[in-house]
């Protein structure tokens, strides 16, 4: 039985690494939904006021022709000008890299950022594109039929769970 | 030729026969029912075991599409369809191209039908020239040429004065007028019953009042001019009630209903099914029930097929643009049997509605198996089930709301003048 | 039960009418449209969902404004758009509808947006399409204008989220209006408890109450305490068809003026599908007033149409 890491510990890990990167033009964007929860925790723990936004990559996914708009769309809200900003992009689980690709495409429709740094809670390994996260809480490779599920309870506490996959299309 | 039909269950409403009997035919006539005539040795024997034997059916309205509309159907295809439906006599409306308003056209049509020798046709002549409702037709000459009566088909006469005079003229000679009652202005451009379904589907409706108003008007004119009137294709409960009252008051009136209206309602339009676009429109459940009761109590004398073949292209358009009409010759029997089953009426009563009653309305000698009558006979299996499909309809018109549904009741033999015009090959 | 709009799994295959559209599919469209409102407010108003797909607007009945909104919606989804205006005047009988469609299918069209003057036209087309091609009904005769019904309830939901507590009144020519039918079905499907129609008898379909509405012939009683007033357009043919005596009398009895509007709730919103006949069904003071949400309707119309097309074009794995 795999021992799952404590979410709090992972959060602190990546918060520290993110804090080290903050520059004058830095902004933070969380990818719905797990990435947004993590971003909220990170922002609460950072002692600075940084512009932030939320992003739903669903409209830029590459599997629309197969799956359609499967999940409920969340609002994308980028309340700052993307031009020349250093974006710290936050997601919960990094797997194939396709969600990141979609998020990058969407960000570029808003303008030309100076840089994008990807921070994730867990890298489960399995990139299908030449994309890698620069900030990782923990690297835990999984088998193809397994997946991590991040959830948030009513008090805002994050919980990580390991599941067997029924739907192999969730990347 | 001598023909014997043996082992069948004979139903002949006129002569009150409803029993297992054999039928003996010679030289195209019925020579005996029950006991064989002396020295009768048949050239042909039909074993009607398990089947019902009745007079050949008489259909008060079947469009044969000749002359003029041969791309929709031809005499040949439709008369074969009639025979396949057990129909041996039929009346055809004059709304052909050209309109049947001249004696020469009637003669030509009758002659061409005679050549096919598949059924007897009784054209109804136009009541007004070109059906335009303005000038009278030569009713005497048309009658002489073979018209069984006069009608306006689907085109109501707008000018009441003309209507009155047409009645008076017909009454002078004792002709019967066949009218489908529909007030033309209320029905203008309407394509469905003016009720809930037409409201939902955004289709222009024809109110029930269009029929009842016109029935009331026509009854009044017929009574005062002493004309024989037959109402075609009733579709409303109110209409049935008006006819019932008229008959109770001794008015000389008869009525028919299309077999479709005894089974279908506006809901059969469903998702704009153009096969359910017919005239008069399919109305409500309440109307259907009144029509069924009307046939049961004799208010409505006859059931007809209202056979109207339409080519496929004319139905593959939006509902309101589709040509109205449904094919029906081959469905008349099963739909009549189904009416009897649904309404607890006897088989004999049902058969009378498609034999002796319509024959009397047309004033023809058919519709019964009396001695000396023409040997026009239908032999059918009242329990045989079959699926309605484009392939097994002989009519060129495949337009029916009953497509892909099951019918119960199949004709196995049809005889005209004692010779077989249709035989179902499965035996 | 067979439903021509849905696949056997209950996913949307065509959008033909609001009637027969299950509540969950209706809500899916509205919820998806929320995201597309945001897209319209960006500088880059496009998303790549329909890139490589061809959407054909076939309008057998002319309408520049509706066709334009569908064109904008398709282009914002990155689709290629073909516009075809088919002349169907009585003089030119021309090509049969299905032949026109078949030709366009042969040219690899993925989606048809169809407007036709006859009820049932979109249904007819949907019946004859191969499985992978969708139809959006942009208005068929008097029957249905589903995207208008959808954008109208989307607008209402934005201003009055408590839909299970609303009184809504539709005013005008319900008899001839596909917009009215779609609006009524959308409102009743979403559970709006009181839907009223206000019109003279000549402009109401027989048995209209069977659609689930309350009938009023008087504006004062009909508009009392309503939260939403939905105006319908009056066409000139109604006067020549002996359904109404004159535009002036119509304005007097059924035109929405500030005085008539005052009996509604003070925060009631006023809607109109456009184009407006000022001084016939609506007074300019109301059309240009604070309570009118007519221009937002247009904006939301694009988002709703994007949502419809995105849902139809997406796979269903």
């Amino acid at each position: 039985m795999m021992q799952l890491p404590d979410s709090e510990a992972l959060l602190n890990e990546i918060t520290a690494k993110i804090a080290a990167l903050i520059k004058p033009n830095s902004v933070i964007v969380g990818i719905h939904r797990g990435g947004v929860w993590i971003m909220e925790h990170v922002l609460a723990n950072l002692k600075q006021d940084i512009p932030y936004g939320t992003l739903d990559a669903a409209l830029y996914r590459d599997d629309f022709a197969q799956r359609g708009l499967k999940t409920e769309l969340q609002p994308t809200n980028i309340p700052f000008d993307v031009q020349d900003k250093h974006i710290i992009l936050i997601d919960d689980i990094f797997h194939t890299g396709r969600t990141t690709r979609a998020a990058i495409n969407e960000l570029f429709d808003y303008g030309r950022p100076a840089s994008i740094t990807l921070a994730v809670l867990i890298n489960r390994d399995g990139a299908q594109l030449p994309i890698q996260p620069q900030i990782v809480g923990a690297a835990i490779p999984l088998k193809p039929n397994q997946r991590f599920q991040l959830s948030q309870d009513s008090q805002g506490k994050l919980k990580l769970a390991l599941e067997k996959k029924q739907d192999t299309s969730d990347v | 030729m001598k023909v014997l039909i043996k082992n069948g269950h004979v139903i002949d409403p006129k002569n009150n026969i409803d029993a297992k009997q054999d039928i003996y035919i010679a030289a195209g006539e019925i020579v005996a029912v029950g006991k064989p005539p002396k020295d009768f040795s048949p050239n042909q024997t039909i074993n009607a075991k398990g089947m019902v034997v009745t007079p050949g059916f008489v259909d008060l309205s079947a469009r044969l599409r000749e002359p003029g509309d041969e791309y929709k159907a031809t005499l040949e295809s439709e008369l074969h369809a009639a025979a396949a439906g057990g129909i041996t006599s039929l009346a055809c409306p004059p709304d052909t191209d050209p309109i049947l308003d001249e004696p020469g056209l009637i003669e030509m049509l009758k002659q061409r039908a005679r050549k096919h020798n598949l059924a007897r046709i009784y054209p109804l002549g136009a009541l007004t020239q070109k059906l335009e409702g303005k000038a009278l037709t030569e009713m005497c000459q048309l009658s002489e040429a073979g018209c069984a009566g006069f009608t306006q088909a689907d085109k109501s006469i707008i000018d009441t004065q003309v209507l009155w005079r047409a009645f008076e003229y017909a009454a002078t000679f004792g002709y019967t007028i066949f009218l489908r009652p529909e007030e033309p202005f209320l029905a203008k451009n309407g394509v469905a019953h003016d009720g809930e379904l037409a409201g939902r589907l955004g289709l222009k409706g024809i109110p029930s009042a269009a029929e009842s108003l016109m029935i009331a008007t026509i009854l009044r004119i017929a009574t005062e001019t002493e004309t024989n009137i037959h109402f075609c294709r009733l579709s409303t409960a109110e209409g049935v009630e008006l006819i019932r009252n008229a008959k109770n008051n001794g008015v000389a009136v008869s009525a028919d209903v299309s077999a479709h209206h005894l089974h279908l309602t506006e809901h059969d339009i469903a998702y704009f099914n153009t096969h359910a676009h017919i005239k008069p429109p399919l109305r409500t459940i309440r109307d259907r029930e009144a029509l069924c009761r009307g046939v049961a109590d004799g208010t409505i004398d006859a059931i007809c097929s209202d056979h109207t073949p339409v080519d496929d292209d004319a139905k593959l358009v939006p509902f309101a643009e589709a040509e109205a009409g449904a094919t029906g010759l081959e469905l008349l029997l099963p739909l009549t049997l189904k009416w009897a089953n649904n309404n607890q009426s006897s088989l004999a009563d049902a058969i009378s509605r498609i034999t002796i009653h319509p024959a009397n309305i047309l004033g023809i000698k058919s519709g019964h198996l009396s001695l000396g009558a023409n040997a026009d006979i239908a032999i059918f299996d009242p329990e045989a089930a079959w699926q309605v499909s484009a392939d097994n309809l002989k009519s060129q018109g495949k337009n029916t709301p009953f497509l892909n549904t099951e019918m119960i009741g199949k004709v196995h033999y049809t005889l005209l003048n004692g010779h077989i015009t249709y035989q179902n090959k499965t035996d | 039960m067979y439903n021509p709009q849905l696949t056997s799994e209950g996913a949307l295959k065509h959008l033909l009418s609001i009637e027969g559209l299950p509540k969950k599919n209706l809500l899916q469209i509205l919820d998806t449209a929320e995201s597309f409102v945001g897209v319209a407010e960006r500088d880059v108003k496009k998303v790549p969902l329909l890139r490589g797909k061809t959407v054909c607007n076939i309008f057998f009945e002319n309408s520049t404004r509706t066709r334009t909104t569908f064109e904008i919606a398709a282009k914002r989804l990155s689709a290629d758009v073909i516009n075809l205006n088919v002349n169907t005047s009585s003089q030119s009988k021309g090509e049969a509808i299905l032949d026109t469609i078949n030709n366009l299918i042969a040219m690899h069209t993925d989606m048809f947006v169809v407007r036709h003057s006859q009820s049932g036209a979109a249904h007819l087309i949907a019946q004859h399409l191969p499985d992978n091609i969708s139809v959006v009904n942009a208005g068929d005769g008097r029957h249905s204008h589903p995207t208008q019904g959808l954008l109208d309830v989307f607008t209402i939901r934005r201003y009055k989220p408590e839909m299970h507590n609303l009184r809504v009144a539709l005013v005008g020519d319900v008899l001839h209006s596909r917009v009215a039918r779609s609006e009524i079905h959308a409102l009743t499907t979403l559970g709006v408890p009181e839907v009223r129609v206000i019109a003279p008898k000549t402009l109401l379909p027989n048995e209209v109450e069977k659609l689930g509405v309350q009938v009023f012939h008087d504006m004062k009683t009909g508009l009392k305490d309503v939260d939403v007033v939905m105006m319908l357009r009056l066409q000139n043919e109604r006067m020549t068809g002996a359904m109404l005596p004159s535009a002036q009398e119509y304005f007097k009895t059924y035109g929405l003026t500030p005085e008539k509007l005052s009996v509604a709730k003070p925060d009631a919103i006023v809607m109109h599908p456009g184009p407006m006949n000022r001084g016939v069904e609506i007074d300019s003071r109301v059309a240009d007033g604070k309570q009118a949400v007519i221009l937002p309707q247009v904006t939301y119309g694009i988002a709703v149409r994007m949502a419809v097309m995105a849902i139809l074009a997406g796979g269903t794995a």
Side-chain angles (χ1 to χ4, degrees):
Chain A
M1 251 318 294
M2 180 184 298
Q3 178 73 349
L4 289 180
D6 173 38
S7 315
E8 287 298 317
L10 292 178
L11 267 174
N12 293 334
E13 172 86 25
I14 65 173
T15 304
K17 291 181 181 167
I18 288 171
L21 282 183
I22 304 284
K23 292 194 259 283
N25 261 0
S26 287
V27 296
I28 300 187
V29 174
I31 301 178
H32 277 293
R33 282 189 305 170
V36 171
W37 296 333
I38 294 169
M39 176 183 74
E40 286 165 351
H41 283 273
V42 166
L43 286 168
N45 292 334
L46 284 177
K47 306 299 197 292
Q48 319 163 43
D49 251 335
I50 302 173
Y52 65 93
T54 63
L55 186 154
D56 188 328
L59 298 180
Y60 287 76
R61 290 176 68 102
D62 61 13
D63 57 359
F64 174 70
Q66 291 80 23
R67 294 173 78 231
L69 292 171
K70 202 96 181 173
T71 49
E72 206 180 295
L73 294 176
Q74 304 292 323
T76 287
N77 184 27
I78 311 287
F80 46 79
D81 186 1
V82 161
Q83 197 72 14
D84 297 327
K85 297 287 194 304
H86 293 285
I87 300 180
I88 299 170
L89 189 59
I90 302 185
D91 203 358
D92 51 356
I93 317 288
F94 180 87
H95 183 190
T96 62
R98 291 177 189 270
T99 304
T100 311
R101 195 279 317 161
I104 293 174
N105 270 60
E106 185 161 0
L107 286 170
F108 269 78
D109 268 354
Y110 282 86
R112 185 185 182 278
S115 72
I116 300 181
T117 307
L118 179 65
V120 298
L121 203 64
I122 299 204
N123 180 355
R124 62 161 284 182
D125 202 30
Q128 294 173 354
L129 301 172
I131 295 178
Q132 283 296 325
Q134 289 95 335
I135 296 177
V136 179
I140 309 177
L142 291 179
K143 296 209 232 340
N145 67 334
Q146 292 172 311
R147 73 178 201 168
F148 280 119
Q149 186 78 306
L150 188 73
S151 57
Q152 183 168 256
D153 68 19
S154 46
Q155 271 89 35
K157 197 157 156 40
L158 289 176
K159 189 171 114 68
L160 192 62
L162 182 65
E163 288 178 356
K164 259 203 163 52
K165 258 199 252 191
Q166 309 107 308
D167 173 13
T168 53
S169 59
D170 186 35
V171 294
Chain B
M1 179 158 94
K2 296 208 170 94
V3 183
L4 161 64
I5 304 174
K6 66 176 188 179
N7 299 329
H9 184 103
V10 176
I11 296 185
D12 179 11
K14 176 173 176 163
N15 294 307
N16 265 312
I17 301 177
D18 186 349
K20 204 140 180 271
Q21 304 266 300
D22 292 344
I23 295 189
Y24 301 84
I25 297 164
E29 286 182 1
I30 299 189
V31 294
V33 175
K35 268 179 37 182
K38 244 172 123 75
D39 301 326
F40 186 89
S41 138
N43 308 98
Q44 182 180 38
T45 303
I46 298 175
N47 184 1
K49 184 156 191 251
M51 300 190 228
V52 176
V53 181
T54 66
F57 308 136
V58 179
D59 191 355
L60 284 179
S61 182
R63 284 184 167 84
L64 304 175
R65 296 311 195 187
E66 277 192 39
D69 289 324
E70 286 86 352
Y71 66 94
K72 289 181 196 161
T74 60
L75 266 184
E76 183 173 358
S77 63
E78 302 321 288
L79 290 176
H80 274 295
I87 294 166
T88 52
S89 298
L90 56 87
C92 48
D95 53 359
T96 47
D97 179 16
I99 306 250
L100 298 178
D101 61 1
E102 279 183 7
L105 294 169
I106 303 288
E107 274 153 16
M108 201 159 61
L109 183 60
K110 287 196 75 145
Q111 198 182 52
R112 294 186 37 207
R114 253 193 306 268
K115 269 209 271 193
H116 289 289
N117 205 10
L118 291 166
R120 301 173 203 281
I121 68 166
Y122 298 93
L124 294 175
L127 185 60
T128 59
Q129 287 179 28
K130 303 215 179 336
L131 293 175
E132 275 172 356
K134 297 205 191 113
L136 302 183
T137 49
E138 295 165 321
M139 292 188 221
C140 296
Q141 293 179 68
L142 284 166
S143 178
E144 226 171 291
C147 283
F150 300 93
T151 179
Q152 281 289 117
D154 281 329
K155 291 180 138 185
S156 299
I157 295 179
I158 293 177
D159 187 337
T160 318
Q161 182 73 277
V162 173
L163 187 62
W164 189 284
R165 299 231 166 99
F167 271 62
E168 279 189 315
Y169 192 74
T172 306
F173 305 96
Y175 300 142
T176 303
I177 297 188
F178 292 69
L179 289 182
R180 183 168 80 75
E182 190 172 77
E183 205 292 315
F185 292 102
L186 291 179
K188 194 163 172 214
N189 295 328
V191 295
H193 169 65
D194 187 31
E196 185 189 344
L197 191 95
R200 283 177 187 277
L201 294 186
L203 297 172
K204 183 153 202 301
I206 302 175
S208 294
E211 179 170 294
S212 51
L213 275 178
M214 209 58 196
I215 292 178
T217 301
I218 293 172
L219 279 174
R220 191 92 289 265
I221 299 177
T223 311
E224 298 215 11
T225 57
E226 295 175 303
T227 315
N228 295 328
I229 177 67
H230 173 83
F231 286 98
C232 307
R233 314 313 101 73
L234 293 186
S235 69
T236 62
E238 294 83 2
V240 176
E241 191 56 28
L242 286 169
I243 307 291
R244 188 176 284 127
N245 289 339
K247 283 190 173 184
N248 287 341
N249 290 331
V251 181
V253 59
S254 60
D256 72 59
V257 66
S258 138
H260 294 96
H261 288 79
L262 294 176
H263 299 290
L264 304 173
T265 66
E266 57 184 346
H267 298 291
D268 290 288
I269 294 177
Y271 297 108
F272 298 98
N273 182 5
T274 52
H275 290 312
H277 183 170
I278 62 179
K279 287 197 216 291
L282 296 165
R283 297 195 191 266
T284 67
I285 295 177
R286 185 182 149 265
D287 292 307
R288 180 183 63 189
E289 278 165 9
L291 292 167
C292 286
R293 263 181 284 121
V295 179
D297 73 13
T299 304
I300 299 176
D301 304 86
I303 302 171
C304 72
S305 72
D306 201 23
H307 179 72
T308 304
V310 173
D311 59 295
D312 293 339
D313 284 341
K315 289 288 193 184
L316 277 177
V317 289
F319 192 90
E321 287 177 358
E323 192 175 324
T327 197
L329 290 167
E330 298 156 86
L331 304 178
L332 179 62
L333 171 67
L335 291 178
T336 301
L337 294 179
K338 191 166 174 213
W339 164 80
N341 270 333
N342 291 347
N343 290 269
Q344 283 106 40
S345 289
S346 68
L347 186 52
D349 188 23
I351 297 299
S352 74
R353 305 288 170 203
I354 54 177
T355 54
I356 188 62
H357 288 300
N360 289 340
I361 289 166
L362 285 176
I364 61 178
K365 290 183 300 185
S366 312
H368 55 90
L369 300 173
S370 311
L371 300 184
N374 290 323
D376 296 345
I377 296 178
I379 304 175
F380 62 89
D381 180 352
E383 322 239 292
W386 56 285
Q387 191 89 346
V388 181
S389 73
D391 289 331
N392 63 19
L393 287 175
K394 284 203 164 3
S395 166
Q396 231 174 275
K398 311 295 184 189
N399 50 309
T400 167
F402 292 103
L403 207 57
N404 296 326
T405 62
E406 192 187 61
M407 290 281 138
I408 308 225
K410 185 93 188 66
V411 173
H412 284 305
Y413 296 89
T414 307
L415 286 86
L416 184 74
N417 267 335
H419 77 266
I420 295 177
T421 53
Y422 172 76
Q423 184 170 346
N424 189 3
K425 298 211 176 90
T426 57
D427 38 49
Chain C
M1 256 267 331
Y2 168 67
N3 186 328
Q5 303 194 82
L6 304 179
T7 65
S8 45
E9 288 90 35
L12 197 68
K13 189 162 88 151
H14 301 291
L15 182 65
L16 304 174
S17 66
I18 307 272
E19 187 177 30
L21 190 67
K23 184 173 177 179
K24 77 167 184 20
N25 297 85
L26 203 163
L27 287 173
Q28 182 197 20
I29 297 171
L30 297 183
D31 294 337
T32 306
E34 294 284 349
S35 295
F36 289 116
V37 176
V39 169
E41 286 158 5
R42 300 184 331 196
D43 279 342
V44 175
K45 301 189 196 327
K46 277 194 192 221
V47 292
L49 291 176
L50 262 67
R51 191 165 54 207
K53 302 261 178 163
T54 303
V55 174
C56 182
N57 289 325
I58 314 187
F59 277 53
F60 296 89
E61 188 186 67
N62 240 330
S63 164
T64 317
R65 77 186 350 239
T66 306
R67 205 204 65 218
T68 308
T69 60
F70 273 104
E71 186 173 350
I72 294 175
K75 285 183 172 165
R76 287 198 182 159
L77 292 169
S78 304
D80 296 319
V81 179
I82 305 176
N83 287 317
L84 202 66
N85 270 354
V86 180
N87 187 356
T88 48
S89 65
S90 49
Q91 284 90 353
S92 58
K93 186 110 204 271
E95 200 179 32
I97 298 182
L98 293 180
D99 285 334
T100 309
I101 298 288
N102 283 333
N103 284 335
L104 288 162
I105 293 176
M107 294 191 242
H108 302 293
T109 303
D110 300 289
M111 187 180 298
F112 290 99
V113 176
V114 183
R115 169 168 284 200
H116 197 284
S117 56
Q118 291 288 358
S119 302
H123 273 81
L124 175 68
I125 293 173
Q127 275 176 337
H128 289 91
L129 288 177
D131 266 339
N132 55 332
I133 304 185
S134 300
V135 176
V136 179
N137 183 3
D140 63 327
R142 296 187 203 170
H143 170 232
S144 181
H145 193 357
T147 57
Q148 183 72 44
L150 286 165
L151 79 88
D152 285 340
V153 293
F154 182 86
T155 306
I156 293 176
R157 199 169 80 152
R158 277 243 159 174
Y159 287 91
K160 307 271 175 191
E162 299 292 308
M163 296 201 72
H164 46 275
N165 248 337
L166 290 183
R167 273 196 199 94
V168 178
L170 280 80
V171 184
D173 187 359
V174 178
L175 176 58
H176 297 94
S177 173
R178 54 189 171 219
V179 171
R181 283 169 178 78
S182 292
E183 286 170 349
I184 291 169
H185 291 307
L187 292 166
T188 51
T189 302
L190 289 177
V192 170
E194 210 175 310
V195 181
R196 303 178 178 180
V197 293
I198 309 175
K201 282 188 178 185
T202 47
L203 295 182
L204 289 172
N206 201 0
E207 300 186 5
V208 67
E209 60 290 340
K210 294 211 172 134
L211 293 178
V213 300
Q214 287 178 36
V215 178
F216 289 80
H217 299 304
D218 172 58
M219 285 287 257
K220 261 220 180 66
T221 40
L223 288 179
K224 186 135 196 352
D225 296 332
V226 302
D227 302 280
V228 181
V229 185
M230 302 175 91
M231 303 304 298
L232 298 170
R233 201 175 126 69
L234 187 75
Q235 285 165 312
N236 287 329
E237 296 91 86
R238 308 307 159 229
M239 269 62 84
T240 52
M243 288 176 217
L244 292 175
S246 69
Q248 292 89 319
E249 178 145 309
Y250 183 79
F251 185 65
K252 210 158 180 277
T253 42
Y254 295 96
L256 188 63
T257 58
E259 293 74 40
K260 298 219 193 77
L261 182 57
S262 65
V263 307
K265 292 232 180 81
D267 60 349
I269 55 173
V270 174
M271 302 173 61
H272 194 301
M276 290 188 282
N277 284 322
R278 289 167 182 265
V280 177
E281 68 253 5
I282 190 166
D283 187 312
S284 281
R285 287 171 290 165
V286 176
D288 302 324
K290 300 190 278 89
Q291 291 171 265
V293 301
I294 298 170
L295 289 174
Q297 278 177 275
V298 179
T299 309
Y300 296 143
I302 297 181
V304 164
R305 284 159 180 144
M306 286 174 76
V308 169
M309 291 195 219
I311 290 170
L312 287 174
T316 49

